[in-house]
Every structure is written in structure tokens, then in C-alpha cells.
Amino acid sequence: MNSIVVKGGHAGRINIDSGQVIEIINLQGKQVCDFFAFSRDNIRETLSPGHTRSVIRRLYLNVDDNISSVIRTPMFTLIQDDVG
């Protein structure tokens, strides 16, 4: 398992493959961290909260929801949310 700690106000990067699990933990407070994702095959295909909402037809994510890209391709599946 790889681990990266990113200080507030800074950025970090990690490459993941299909089927891998990524866990995002905010070490201070309960506010969600900013999270950006890009397709390795097409840098213009990015994670999109707006497109995700139009696919799931809700404002908030539930466990097992897919998080979609700007072309509505599932990029991630939410498997746990302790913040809500």
C-alpha cells in the first residue's frame, strides 16, 4: 500500500489502476478535501461533480454510487463515507 500525506494548501499525486482502492483521509477536521482525477489515457477526461450529479440525479453521493467523468464515464465507486 502506498501512502502520501499532503499538507493543507498543497497538492499531491498518486497513480492508480482500475480495481485499486484509494482512501482519502482528512487528518484535521471533518471537511472534505479537494480531489481531482484525470484519465491516464485522456488528460482531458477529468472527474466531474456536475456530471456525476446529472448521472445519479441527486446532489449527494451514497455508498455504491459511481463518480463520473466529464464524458459520464464512471471513474470511481464510493465504497465508504464516514463524513457524510
Side-chain angles (χ1 to χ4, degrees):
M1 177 171 74
N2 294 327
S3 178
I4 182 171
V5 176
V6 180
K7 293 180 183 180
H10 293 79
R13 175 183 167 192
I14 187 168
N15 291 317
I16 62 169
D17 294 316
S18 180
Q20 285 187 296
V21 174
I22 182 171
E23 181 178 19
I24 301 170
I25 301 170
N26 187 349
L27 299 175
Q28 296 178 337
K30 294 188 177 192
Q31 182 177 345
V32 70
C33 302
D34 289 333
F35 177 70
F36 300 93
F38 303 87
S39 169
R40 187 179 296 152
D41 299 327
N42 178 3
I43 194 73
R44 291 185 174 144
E45 184 179 1
T46 62
L47 179 118
S48 173
H51 289 83
T52 297
R53 286 190 295 270
S54 73
V55 170
I56 65 172
R57 298 182 170 267
R58 280 182 271 107
L59 291 176
Y60 301 101
L61 293 170
N62 293 326
V63 171
D64 294 327
D65 280 343
N66 287 321
I67 303 170
S68 300
S69 73
V70 294
I71 60 172
R72 293 180 173 81
T73 301
M75 294 184 83
F76 297 94
T77 302
L78 183 65
I79 58 173
Q80 182 177 340
D81 182 5
D82 295 334
V83 177

